[in-house]
Amino acid sequence: MADTKREIERKFEFSKATAARRGVPDLTGTAAIAAVSDQGTVDLDAVYYDTPDQRLAAEGLTLRRRTGGADAGWHLKLPVSPGVRDEIGAALSDTVPPALAALVRSRVRGAGLQPQVRLVSSRHLSHLLDADGTLLAELSTDEVLAERGETTAGWTEVEVELADGVDPELLDAVEKTFRKAGLRVSDAPSKLARALAETDTAPPPRPAGGGPEGTAGAHVLTYLREQRDALVAQDPAVRRSLPDSVHQMRVACRRLRSAFKTYRKVLDRAVTDPIGEELRWLAAELGVDRDQEVLMERIQSHLGELPRTLMTGPVRSRLRVWNSARRSGSRRRALAALDSPRHLALLDSLDALLDEPPLLKGAAKAPEAVLPKAVLRDYARLAARVDSALVLTEGGERDLALHEARKAAKRVRYAAESAEPVLGKPAKHLAKAAKKVQNLLGDHQDSVVAREALRGLADQATGAGESAFTWGVLYGREEALAEQRERELPDIWAKASAPSLRAGLG
């Protein structure tokens, strides 16, 4: 299993030759730094791997095999925010470890990983300590030699990396001291980025097709690229089981599918519809585990609100067994989907769509002329579904109609949010109103799903000779909550359907 470390650091370089000759200033007395402990010098030899067209470097990822030092091995660094990266390590081996290869698969796909740059460094290491001798940060001064083919480049780099739990404000204090001594923050975010720049092999820019700037096509393609990038970026997060990653990956799938339908006057649906179906498949595969998690949390929450007098039989143990059975293999199913050729083909098809978009006549028009009509079409669809649901009597048919209305509300929300950079506050206000409708109907649908699960739990309890009373109580509670949401819908919809919300759209 690969090891993960959150890396918070800042890189510096000497701004003048005279400053380089003086060297790194003594940081004793800077902020909480009470002492600087010399740790000696070590030689490091790192080979960086990437695709021939540098897909990892283009997105700020680095994958290296390094010998020398205390952490020799393979290291994959994933950007989190400026100056913050997650470093995932694996034991030294001759080939890329499978665990790390999986984390870059959404970027690499079938291109393959090959050695690209070699960095040989002589590192002088010091520990920055507080008054109690606790490690605050590591200070490294590296004499770096980059080799790419016959081309070489050399420089001196100073790096300060915080120890776990140390306030990042320490880096600001160090930077202030360094500036006075003639050091400045490095322009390059990593050694690899600088090596590529200084050997004249920086990653090529991505294609940006979509027609002239200021057109509807350009606007829609920009939005779609953002969602494609989110889909790709969440792939390693899902593999690492990071919080909310599955949800965010599914949201990217849904936003892409929704945009394909909303902007059918901009992009040819003969091309986008098949991709949309693949996005539907991926979201469904990812959702098995997440949907069960949400359902379990809902039932547990409501169970926790019941008084003890309404708890009969081994309710909690029955719930745990049921949940374990439902979630068994669900994560393996999600990872299998991510590893499948079908998923990689989907990512390739999205890239092809964005590189050579199937633009229709509407793409050449101004976004102010196209986007309002697209948003209002989706609103009309939502209005029709809500009106149809409200006239139905209670029961399964109405539940299904409200579920369809929820999906329509989500599409209006996504459409308005995608149009907000052009349409401004009117789109923002409509998106907020649609979200309220979506949330209310979403809670109603969660109640429908929970009632079905509770009915199954009651049947299991009865079959095992246990009391089904508590499951019946929870079922009644869910039924009451659903009825309450249905009573609230007319007022929420009246606000969301107010003509003033749409007046500013065009």
Side-chain angles (χ1 to χ4, degrees):
M1 181 66 68
D3 298 320
T4 301
K5 175 187 177 185
R6 177 61 55 89
E7 184 181 79
I8 304 175
E9 63 183 18
R10 198 164 298 175
K11 297 180 182 295
F12 302 88
E13 58 187 83
F14 293 101
S15 55
K16 296 179 181 179
T18 53
R21 286 194 294 270
R22 288 195 301 267
V24 177
D26 184 6
L27 290 172
T28 303
T30 299
I33 301 171
V36 179
S37 174
D38 191 326
Q39 300 297 305
T41 301
V42 64
D43 293 328
L44 307 174
D45 192 337
V47 177
Y48 287 77
Y49 285 67
D50 205 337
T51 61
D53 56 355
Q54 300 173 36
R55 298 180 187 182
L56 301 185
E59 298 192 41
L61 283 73
T62 62
L63 174 63
R64 74 186 179 204
R65 180 186 185 276
R66 189 168 76 180
T67 57
D71 63 343
W74 286 88
H75 307 109
L76 171 65
K77 298 192 179 186
L78 301 168
V80 176
S81 60
V84 182
R85 296 187 292 182
D86 279 346
E87 180 180 282
I88 304 167
L92 201 61
S93 62
D94 292 336
T95 58
V96 179
L100 301 189
L103 293 176
V104 297
R105 186 167 289 124
S106 63
R107 272 96 170 183
V108 173
R109 298 175 211 169
L113 291 165
Q114 302 172 8
Q116 299 294 325
V117 178
R118 181 186 181 200
L119 296 183
V120 180
S121 305
S122 177
R123 167 169 292 182
H124 184 256
L125 182 65
S126 298
H127 285 174
L128 307 181
L129 310 174
D130 67 8
D132 297 325
T134 301
L135 179 66
L136 296 174
E138 287 189 344
L139 168 65
S140 304
T141 304
D142 293 346
E143 299 294 334
V144 184
L145 175 65
E147 301 175 354
R148 182 174 173 85
E150 300 299 320
T151 307
T152 62
W155 67 90
T156 300
E157 178 178 285
V158 179
E159 177 183 295
V160 179
E161 181 180 342
L162 296 181
D164 293 341
V166 175
D167 192 331
E169 288 187 0
L170 178 65
L171 292 176
D172 296 331
V174 169
E175 180 181 339
K176 185 176 180 180
T177 299
F178 276 180
R179 280 203 309 268
K180 293 178 181 177
L183 286 92
R184 60 181 177 83
V185 175
S186 176
D187 294 330
S190 67
K191 288 185 177 67
L192 176 62
R194 181 162 183 175
L196 292 173
E198 298 207 6
T199 58
D200 197 28
T201 53
R206 275 185 169 180
E213 286 297 317
T215 63
H219 176 84
V220 171
L221 267 293
T222 295
Y223 176 76
L224 293 178
R225 284 191 194 92
E226 292 172 357
Q227 307 314 315
R228 184 273 311 275
D229 291 348
L231 187 64
V232 170
Q234 288 300 327
D235 181 299
V238 170
R239 294 175 187 275
R240 297 169 60 201
S241 298
L242 295 186
D244 206 37
S245 56
V246 170
H247 172 66
Q248 291 302 323
M249 195 170 190
R250 295 176 79 194
V251 167
C253 290
R254 291 167 179 159
R255 286 184 180 274
L256 283 164
R257 289 184 61 232
S258 182
F260 289 159
K261 295 174 182 177
T262 296
Y263 297 114
R264 60 184 180 271
K265 301 292 186 181
V266 174
L267 295 170
D268 187 353
R269 286 191 63 177
V271 177
T272 61
D273 279 357
I275 300 176
E277 286 305 307
E278 292 302 284
L279 289 164
R280 183 203 296 272
W281 160 79
L282 178 59
E285 293 299 298
L286 293 169
V288 174
D289 194 58
R290 173 58 181 165
D291 289 346
Q292 178 61 23
E293 181 183 11
V294 171
L295 176 59
M296 178 66 171
E297 289 174 353
R298 184 181 182 96
I299 295 176
Q300 280 184 316
S301 174
H302 290 175
L303 188 61
E305 295 169 359
L306 292 182
R308 287 184 173 274
T309 54
L310 299 182
M311 299 276 285
T312 61
V315 176
R316 294 191 183 279
S317 61
R318 166 66 56 190
L319 185 61
R320 284 194 297 270
V321 170
W322 169 83
N323 184 58
S324 296
R326 300 257 296 201
R327 295 188 72 174
S328 176
S330 58
R331 174 158 173 79
R332 289 195 300 273
R333 179 173 171 177
L335 293 180
L338 295 183
D339 286 336
S340 69
R342 188 174 180 179
H343 173 50
L344 299 184
L346 166 59
L347 297 179
D348 285 341
S349 67
L350 285 169
D351 286 351
L353 171 78
L354 294 168
D355 293 345
E356 297 183 17
L359 299 177
L360 301 176
K361 290 182 179 179
K365 297 180 180 179
E368 293 82 1
V370 174
L371 271 57
K373 293 179 181 179
V375 173
L376 291 173
R377 275 196 305 268
D378 283 349
Y379 167 80
R381 176 173 169 271
L382 168 61
R385 291 194 178 186
V386 172
D387 291 344
S388 296
L390 288 175
V391 300
L392 295 173
T393 57
E394 293 182 8
E397 187 179 355
R398 185 175 188 179
D399 289 343
L400 181 60
L402 290 172
H403 180 46
E404 293 300 313
R406 179 190 68 84
K407 291 190 286 186
K410 186 183 296 185
R411 184 158 143 187
V412 171
R413 172 193 165 193
Y414 289 164
E417 287 174 348
S418 72
E420 191 176 326
V422 172
L423 304 182
K425 287 185 178 180
K428 181 179 181 179
H429 294 157
L430 180 60
K432 289 178 67 175
K435 185 177 180 180
K436 290 181 180 179
V437 176
Q438 173 196 331
N439 288 344
L440 183 143
L441 294 177
D443 193 52
H444 181 275
Q445 177 61 18
D446 287 347
S447 179
V448 172
V449 173
R451 276 179 278 159
E452 182 180 353
L454 291 166
R455 188 183 295 112
L457 282 161
D459 289 343
Q460 289 180 16
T462 301
E466 302 164 4
S467 171
F469 174 78
T470 302
W471 305 119
V473 172
L474 291 175
Y475 186 98
R477 179 189 179 95
E478 288 289 1
E479 204 167 39
L481 286 172
E483 290 172 357
Q484 180 180 337
R485 296 296 174 263
E486 291 180 24
R487 290 193 298 271
E488 293 170 351
L489 178 58
D491 286 342
I492 295 292
W493 176 240
K495 295 175 182 177
S497 61
S500 59
L501 271 179
R502 305 186 301 283
L505 293 177

